Amino acid sequence: MKREILYEVDGVALDFSVGEQHVTAVQKGSIFIPKSEITIIFGPSGSGKSSLLNILSGLQKPTSGSMKYKSENIYTSNQDSLAYYRAHELGIIYQTNYWVKSLDVLDNVALPLYFLGYSRADAHDKARSALERVNMQSYTHKYPYLLSGGEQQRIAFARAIVNDAPVIIADEPTGNLDSKNGDRVIELFTEFQQNEGKTIILVTHNLEYLPIAQHLVQIQDGKMTQIEHKDITPTVKQLLSDVQNRISTLAAKGAKK
Amino acid sequence: MMRNTRGVDRKILLMIAYRNLVSKKLRTALTLFGIAIGIGSIYFLLSFGLGLQNIVTNEVIGNQSIKTIDVTTPNSRIIKLDDITNQRVGDIAEVTTLGKAYFYPGSFRLSNSESDAIVYGIDEGYEQLTYLDVIEGVLPTQAGDIKNPIIINIAALESIGLSSNPSAVLGQTLSIQVPLEKVSDNLEALKQEFTVAGIISSGGGPEVFVLSNVFRELGVDAATQLKVGVKDVASIEMVRSQIESFGLETQSPADTVEEINTIFRYFNFMLLGFGGIGMIIAVLGMFNTLTISLLERTKEIGLMVSLGARSIDMRLLFVFEAVLLSLFGAVLGIVGATVLSALVNWLLNLLAGTRGVDGTFWLFSYPWWLFVGAILFMLFVGFVVVWLPARRAEKINPIDALRRE
Ligand SMILES: Nc1ncnc2c1ncn2[C@@H]1O[C@H](COP(=O)(O)OP(=O)(O)OP(=O)(O)O)[C@@H](O)[C@H]1O
Ligand SMILES: [Mg+2]
């Protein structure tokens, strides 16, 4: 199977200057995101993962370089087109769930469709079937912020798939969940990639999820490194054995005291 | 791929705005209350000002049509209101009706009582333009068979102590004396008997009305006053200047109305000023609510933008909130002001009743344009107040909004 490239990130860097301080969130580098595969971006806290995602999702114009989606330079188009890109091409999931508090689950899930200009009735129909797909159809008239973290994350998933967008971007979707609920959410991602050919871009620092990816981007102090397809399995093994070693040394230190 | 969105359905934005207001019940209620007080106090005071203006106008010009002009001569020896002059006035294009009145001080005698009165001789035109309000019987031109009909006003009956049972006077004989020899040397005094055909309520002093022929037959060739009915209020000025070019003097109830209106324009402005104090409460409350709503919902707005909302839609969301607040607040305020004014009116009537004022009065006036104007004004204020918060909503950067914990 020939790989198709969906995103081309070319010589992109992102700096922030807050007053006198300058922070380089993403160092100049180039990566790509393959179409219909799961790409995982991983790295330690503060390394620039969210910053990279924000660039990909059209929310953050990079300081330099270009970001192409389907060979089109996203950041050269106007604000409305960027909004359209997000509403039409992306499903976005965050680590912490954000809701419009005054709206119930159904309206919250329907939001991306509203922004595409759907009528309320049509949007509700689609939102209901999205909720069914994550098995949350009985929650339609509850208020999302009152639900458990796992339930909220599934509803967030429904909101991300409601517009049937080709790309799903998720920033630490399992960050607030226990491993059981985390696994269930990850399963939803693999299902969607396998059954519907969605492109999935996932940020996580949970190394045990790395094996589900077909493409990896490691990021360390803002420096992006892509891991070739053939190297994924050995890299993951290496990373996991590093973790194993860390656990052993920590355990040994603990035992000495 | 980069085609523009249709943008979010306005109805949905309105729904979200509405939901947000409903989810903050207490705050929304307080804000609405503030707006209602602001717009309500303006509405209350203005409807009072307008009502008062109506009452004053009615008191002053009574039942006169304001589409009339009174014509007199500055010097009856030089310019007379004779048939030639009257013809010229009547020929002016915009003049629809011409009435002639002859009136002189005189006296009358009825059932052995005598009193001074102004004796009017009027024709049909004058009768039409003056709207004499008949309470018993008929007006002189409608008297038909009654020979030598005369109309008498309540004030005249009062002067001879017969006002308690006016209908008893109908059909009685009334004799009149007018010393016309004082008007012109070649005239004799009018001394004649009449039959009472009608009783009217208008007029402050004693007045009696006979047909104008009575004076003409005695050789009076010039009327004392002309009453000119014109096509519409707009042509009053033009007709007046034409009549004045004949050397005559004119007066119109429109003058008085204009004077009253000028006074009330200042008065209403003053009331508006008082109402403005209430409006300040409304504006501050609304601004406060919208600003708090903005701060509270920075994340929500960031979320909506990251889910594909256009920034302009977020601005509209706030505008809709302001519109909802203004509209409901204004309606609430107007309803409240109307109820309050009805209550005040009722109390004042009650009070006036105990002080011996008879007849009820309605102190407030609620023209439709005041209602529509109050709502439009509040909407305008709403737009002004929401301008800043809406701009800030539009400028929210989703990344910053969502990063903030
Ligand atoms: N808007 C901003 N203004 C200033 N500095 C920022 C901004 N956004 C990110 N940074 C900085 O850029 C660096 C990368 O941040 P980023 O949020 O991308 O890290 P991350 O890998 O997502 O971390 P985490 O795993 O904790 O979410 C951090 O040092 C952060 O403080
Ligand atoms: Mg992050």
Side-chain angles (χ1 to χ4, degrees), chain A residues 45-51 95 171-172 203:
Chain A
S45 189
S47 56
K49 305 181 295 292
S50 298
S51 300
Q95 171 177 354
D171 194 350
E172 311 231 29
V203 160

